[in-house]
Amino acid sequence: MRLRKKLAAVSGLTAMAASAALLLGATPASAGPNCASGYHCVFYLGINNSARHSYFNSDSNFTNDTFNQLTSLSGGGLNVNDQTVSASNSSTGGYESHYYYDAGTSYSTFLFCVNPGSSVDYLPSSQQNRASALQLRGTTSISCY
């Protein structure tokens, strides 16, 4: 009888450990506010009160991009280039959103970055309305929002 109780206890502990390993090993999607899963979003003003543009991949030149989502809000239909005030990162692949000045300069003039699952609502004034390119990068040692 003792052996059965021990085996049952060991079986129960093994099942609990396996369940915990599955939960801990799962990588959750990183969702930034007001930005669909897998996307990197920029906003004309605040994250919850202005038009948005969503990027799935890097874009070296925002010149032809417009705030084409939530267009009934401030900034709807306007050009994204040099008009970003807030940003959100909902990467599902763990990519940081790195923003740069001067579109088309091969990502040479870094401005700011946003970690997966994070956002910056109203950048500091020195960084507002200056982004003109986005590069998606794996985890870096750069301090991001």
Side-chain angles (χ1 to χ4, degrees):
M1 190 70 169
R2 279 187 178 175
L3 182 59
R4 280 189 188 169
K5 285 185 179 180
K6 285 182 182 179
L7 287 174
V10 169
S11 295
L13 289 174
T14 303
M16 286 180 10
S19 296
L22 285 174
L23 288 174
L24 293 175
T27 303
S30 296
N34 203 6
C35 189
S37 180
Y39 286 86
H40 306 259
C41 301
V42 293
F43 300 85
Y44 180 73
L45 291 173
I47 288 174
N48 292 309
N49 65 354
S50 67
R52 169 184 71 213
H53 186 88
S54 301
Y55 294 94
F56 188 75
N57 292 311
S58 297
D59 188 332
S60 64
N61 189 339
F62 289 175
T63 302
N64 295 319
D65 302 338
T66 61
F67 290 102
N68 60 356
Q69 298 167 324
L70 307 173
T71 56
S72 64
L73 300 175
S74 295
L78 295 178
N79 189 275
V80 173
N81 193 51
D82 295 334
Q83 296 203 74
T84 293
V85 172
S86 301
S88 184
N89 179 342
S90 289
S91 173
T92 53
Y95 291 102
E96 296 175 356
S97 309
H98 286 243
Y99 294 90
Y100 297 83
Y101 303 112
D102 305 325
T105 59
S106 302
Y107 306 112
S108 62
T109 313
F110 177 77
L111 180 59
F112 69 93
C113 57
V114 182
N115 284 320
S118 295
S119 64
V120 56
D121 198 18
Y122 290 93
L123 288 155
S125 59
S126 63
Q127 295 175 323
Q128 289 183 11
N129 301 317
R130 301 185 77 186
S132 57
L134 165 67
Q135 183 179 32
L136 306 184
R137 298 185 64 187
T139 304
T140 66
S141 59
I142 298 170
S143 179
C144 299
Y145 291 103

PDB file of all heavy atoms in Angstrom, residues 79-98:
ATOM      1  N   ASN A  79       1.140  62.780 -43.632  1.00  0.00           N
ATOM      2  CA  ASN A  79       2.381  62.047 -43.869  1.00  0.00           C
ATOM      3  C   ASN A  79       3.050  61.670 -42.550  1.00  0.00           C
ATOM      4  O   ASN A  79       3.084  62.473 -41.618  1.00  0.00           O
ATOM      5  CB  ASN A  79       3.322  62.916 -44.716  1.00  0.00           C
ATOM      6  CG  ASN A  79       4.525  62.147 -45.187  1.00  0.00           C
ATOM      7  OD1 ASN A  79       5.504  62.046 -44.468  1.00  0.00           O
ATOM      8  ND2 ASN A  79       4.448  61.607 -46.380  1.00  0.00           N
ATOM      9  N   VAL A  80       3.593  60.459 -42.473  1.00  0.00           N
ATOM     10  CA  VAL A  80       4.264  59.968 -41.264  1.00  0.00           C
ATOM     11  C   VAL A  80       5.643  60.609 -41.088  1.00  0.00           C
ATOM     12  O   VAL A  80       6.057  60.896 -39.966  1.00  0.00           O
ATOM     13  CB  VAL A  80       4.401  58.422 -41.305  1.00  0.00           C
ATOM     14  CG1 VAL A  80       5.244  57.912 -40.149  1.00  0.00           C
ATOM     15  CG2 VAL A  80       3.024  57.761 -41.304  1.00  0.00           C
ATOM     16  N   ASN A  81       6.336  60.855 -42.192  1.00  0.00           N
ATOM     17  CA  ASN A  81       7.724  61.342 -42.125  1.00  0.00           C
ATOM     18  C   ASN A  81       7.836  62.609 -41.270  1.00  0.00           C
ATOM     19  O   ASN A  81       7.179  63.609 -41.529  1.00  0.00           O
ATOM     20  CB  ASN A  81       8.248  61.614 -43.539  1.00  0.00           C
ATOM     21  CG  ASN A  81       9.741  61.807 -43.554  1.00  0.00           C
ATOM     22  OD1 ASN A  81      10.478  60.984 -43.022  1.00  0.00           O
ATOM     23  ND2 ASN A  81      10.185  62.886 -44.153  1.00  0.00           N
ATOM     24  N   ASP A  82       8.677  62.548 -40.263  1.00  0.00           N
ATOM     25  CA  ASP A  82       8.943  63.671 -39.356  1.00  0.00           C
ATOM     26  C   ASP A  82       7.696  64.162 -38.634  1.00  0.00           C
ATOM     27  O   ASP A  82       7.606  65.334 -38.272  1.00  0.00           O
ATOM     28  CB  ASP A  82       9.606  64.835 -40.103  1.00  0.00           C
ATOM     29  CG  ASP A  82      10.989  64.491 -40.628  1.00  0.00           C
ATOM     30  OD1 ASP A  82      11.645  63.605 -40.049  1.00  0.00           O
ATOM     31  OD2 ASP A  82      11.404  65.099 -41.621  1.00  0.00           O
ATOM     32  N   GLN A  83       6.717  63.266 -38.389  1.00  0.00           N
ATOM     33  CA  GLN A  83       5.498  63.666 -37.678  1.00  0.00           C
ATOM     34  C   GLN A  83       5.064  62.626 -36.647  1.00  0.00           C
ATOM     35  O   GLN A  83       3.888  62.535 -36.326  1.00  0.00           O
ATOM     36  CB  GLN A  83       4.360  63.934 -38.673  1.00  0.00           C
ATOM     37  CG  GLN A  83       4.645  65.105 -39.587  1.00  0.00           C
ATOM     38  CD  GLN A  83       3.385  65.701 -40.135  1.00  0.00           C
ATOM     39  OE1 GLN A  83       2.654  66.378 -39.418  1.00  0.00           O
ATOM     40  NE2 GLN A  83       3.123  65.443 -41.413  1.00  0.00           N
ATOM     41  N   THR A  84       5.999  61.869 -36.105  1.00  0.00           N
ATOM     42  CA  THR A  84       5.675  60.860 -35.100  1.00  0.00           C
ATOM     43  C   THR A  84       5.909  61.418 -33.707  1.00  0.00           C
ATOM     44  O   THR A  84       6.981  61.946 -33.416  1.00  0.00           O
ATOM     45  CB  THR A  84       6.548  59.601 -35.318  1.00  0.00           C
ATOM     46  OG1 THR A  84       6.155  58.997 -36.549  1.00  0.00           O
ATOM     47  CG2 THR A  84       6.365  58.597 -34.199  1.00  0.00           C
ATOM     48  N   VAL A  85       4.890  61.273 -32.846  1.00  0.00           N
ATOM     49  CA  VAL A  85       4.988  61.762 -31.469  1.00  0.00           C
ATOM     50  C   VAL A  85       4.978  60.602 -30.464  1.00  0.00           C
ATOM     51  O   VAL A  85       5.556  60.709 -29.392  1.00  0.00           O
ATOM     52  CB  VAL A  85       3.841  62.757 -31.177  1.00  0.00           C
ATOM     53  CG1 VAL A  85       3.787  63.148 -29.725  1.00  0.00           C
ATOM     54  CG2 VAL A  85       3.994  63.990 -32.058  1.00  0.00           C
ATOM     55  N   SER A  86       4.371  59.461 -30.828  1.00  0.00           N
ATOM     56  CA  SER A  86       4.287  58.303 -29.933  1.00  0.00           C
ATOM     57  C   SER A  86       4.522  57.028 -30.736  1.00  0.00           C
ATOM     58  O   SER A  86       4.341  57.020 -31.959  1.00  0.00           O
ATOM     59  CB  SER A  86       2.909  58.247 -29.268  1.00  0.00           C
ATOM     60  OG  SER A  86       2.648  59.414 -28.523  1.00  0.00           O
ATOM     61  N   ALA A  87       4.918  55.944 -30.051  1.00  0.00           N
ATOM     62  CA  ALA A  87       5.183  54.669 -30.731  1.00  0.00           C
ATOM     63  C   ALA A  87       4.867  53.504 -29.803  1.00  0.00           C
ATOM     64  O   ALA A  87       4.985  53.613 -28.579  1.00  0.00           O
ATOM     65  CB  ALA A  87       6.638  54.603 -31.185  1.00  0.00           C
ATOM     66  N   SER A  88       4.484  52.384 -30.404  1.00  0.00           N
ATOM     67  CA  SER A  88       4.130  51.178 -29.660  1.00  0.00           C
ATOM     68  C   SER A  88       4.679  49.965 -30.411  1.00  0.00           C
ATOM     69  O   SER A  88       4.684  49.943 -31.644  1.00  0.00           O
ATOM     70  CB  SER A  88       2.608  51.092 -29.542  1.00  0.00           C
ATOM     71  OG  SER A  88       2.216  50.000 -28.750  1.00  0.00           O
ATOM     72  N   ASN A  89       5.148  48.957 -29.681  1.00  0.00           N
ATOM     73  CA  ASN A  89       5.749  47.774 -30.290  1.00  0.00           C
ATOM     74  C   ASN A  89       4.998  46.524 -29.834  1.00  0.00           C
ATOM     75  O   ASN A  89       5.037  46.173 -28.663  1.00  0.00           O
ATOM     76  CB  ASN A  89       7.225  47.692 -29.887  1.00  0.00           C
ATOM     77  CG  ASN A  89       7.943  46.491 -30.452  1.00  0.00           C
ATOM     78  OD1 ASN A  89       7.329  45.521 -30.874  1.00  0.00           O
ATOM     79  ND2 ASN A  89       9.255  46.529 -30.430  1.00  0.00           N
ATOM     80  N   SER A  90       4.335  45.858 -30.771  1.00  0.00           N
ATOM     81  CA  SER A  90       3.622  44.605 -30.482  1.00  0.00           C
ATOM     82  C   SER A  90       4.269  43.431 -31.206  1.00  0.00           C
ATOM     83  O   SER A  90       3.598  42.556 -31.741  1.00  0.00           O
ATOM     84  CB  SER A  90       2.148  44.729 -30.886  1.00  0.00           C
ATOM     85  OG  SER A  90       1.483  45.591 -30.014  1.00  0.00           O
ATOM     86  N   SER A  91       5.592  43.410 -31.240  1.00  0.00           N
ATOM     87  CA  SER A  91       6.343  42.360 -31.914  1.00  0.00           C
ATOM     88  C   SER A  91       5.984  40.987 -31.367  1.00  0.00           C
ATOM     89  O   SER A  91       5.893  40.798 -30.162  1.00  0.00           O
ATOM     90  CB  SER A  91       7.845  42.602 -31.722  1.00  0.00           C
ATOM     91  OG  SER A  91       8.588  41.522 -32.228  1.00  0.00           O
ATOM     92  N   THR A  92       5.809  40.033 -32.256  1.00  0.00           N
ATOM     93  CA  THR A  92       5.611  38.648 -31.836  1.00  0.00           C
ATOM     94  C   THR A  92       6.909  37.863 -32.008  1.00  0.00           C
ATOM     95  O   THR A  92       6.992  36.727 -31.582  1.00  0.00           O
ATOM     96  CB  THR A  92       4.495  37.972 -32.660  1.00  0.00           C
ATOM     97  OG1 THR A  92       4.791  38.127 -34.047  1.00  0.00           O
ATOM     98  CG2 THR A  92       3.139  38.571 -32.336  1.00  0.00           C
ATOM     99  N   GLY A  93       7.920  38.481 -32.610  1.00  0.00           N
ATOM    100  CA  GLY A  93       9.197  37.811 -32.810  1.00  0.00           C
ATOM    101  C   GLY A  93      10.306  38.376 -31.945  1.00  0.00           C
ATOM    102  O   GLY A  93      11.471  38.031 -32.120  1.00  0.00           O
ATOM    103  N   GLY A  94       9.974  39.249 -31.008  1.00  0.00           N
ATOM    104  CA  GLY A  94      10.977  39.795 -30.108  1.00  0.00           C
ATOM    105  C   GLY A  94      11.813  40.913 -30.710  1.00  0.00           C
ATOM    106  O   GLY A  94      12.900  41.195 -30.234  1.00  0.00           O
ATOM    107  N   TYR A  95      11.315  41.563 -31.754  1.00  0.00           N
ATOM    108  CA  TYR A  95      12.086  42.613 -32.409  1.00  0.00           C
ATOM    109  C   TYR A  95      11.904  43.976 -31.742  1.00  0.00           C
ATOM    110  O   TYR A  95      10.790  44.389 -31.458  1.00  0.00           O
ATOM    111  CB  TYR A  95      11.683  42.741 -33.885  1.00  0.00           C
ATOM    112  CG  TYR A  95      12.096  41.556 -34.707  1.00  0.00           C
ATOM    113  CD1 TYR A  95      11.170  40.588 -35.058  1.00  0.00           C
ATOM    114  CD2 TYR A  95      13.412  41.411 -35.131  1.00  0.00           C
ATOM    115  CE1 TYR A  95      11.551  39.490 -35.806  1.00  0.00           C
ATOM    116  CE2 TYR A  95      13.799  40.314 -35.873  1.00  0.00           C
ATOM    117  CZ  TYR A  95      12.860  39.351 -36.205  1.00  0.00           C
ATOM    118  OH  TYR A  95      13.235  38.266 -36.943  1.00  0.00           O
ATOM    119  N   GLU A  96      13.020  44.658 -31.515  1.00  0.00           N
ATOM    120  CA  GLU A  96      12.978  46.041 -31.061  1.00  0.00           C
ATOM    121  C   GLU A  96      12.673  46.930 -32.260  1.00  0.00           C
ATOM    122  O   GLU A  96      13.097  46.641 -33.383  1.00  0.00           O
ATOM    123  CB  GLU A  96      14.329  46.452 -30.475  1.00  0.00           C
ATOM    124  CG  GLU A  96      14.715  45.693 -29.228  1.00  0.00           C
ATOM    125  CD  GLU A  96      16.115  46.017 -28.734  1.00  0.00           C
ATOM    126  OE1 GLU A  96      16.848  46.785 -29.398  1.00  0.00           O
ATOM    127  OE2 GLU A  96      16.495  45.481 -27.680  1.00  0.00           O
ATOM    128  N   SER A  97      11.948  48.014 -32.015  1.00  0.00           N
ATOM    129  CA  SER A  97      11.661  49.011 -33.057  1.00  0.00           C
ATOM    130  C   SER A  97      12.706  50.112 -32.914  1.00  0.00           C
ATOM    131  O   SER A  97      12.719  50.817 -31.910  1.00  0.00           O
ATOM    132  CB  SER A  97      10.278  49.645 -32.838  1.00  0.00           C
ATOM    133  OG  SER A  97       9.273  48.696 -32.682  1.00  0.00           O
ATOM    134  N   HIS A  98      13.584  50.265 -33.907  1.00  0.00           N
ATOM    135  CA  HIS A  98      14.613  51.311 -33.880  1.00  0.00           C
ATOM    136  C   HIS A  98      14.254  52.381 -34.900  1.00  0.00           C
ATOM    137  O   HIS A  98      14.110  52.083 -36.092  1.00  0.00           O
ATOM    138  CB  HIS A  98      15.990  50.713 -34.206  1.00  0.00           C
ATOM    139  CG  HIS A  98      16.552  49.907 -33.085  1.00  0.00           C
ATOM    140  ND1 HIS A  98      17.711  50.248 -32.443  1.00  0.00           N
ATOM    141  CD2 HIS A  98      16.100  48.789 -32.468  1.00  0.00           C
ATOM    142  CE1 HIS A  98      17.956  49.369 -31.488  1.00  0.00           C
ATOM    143  NE2 HIS A  98      16.982  48.467 -31.488  1.00  0.00           N
TER     144      HIS A  98
END
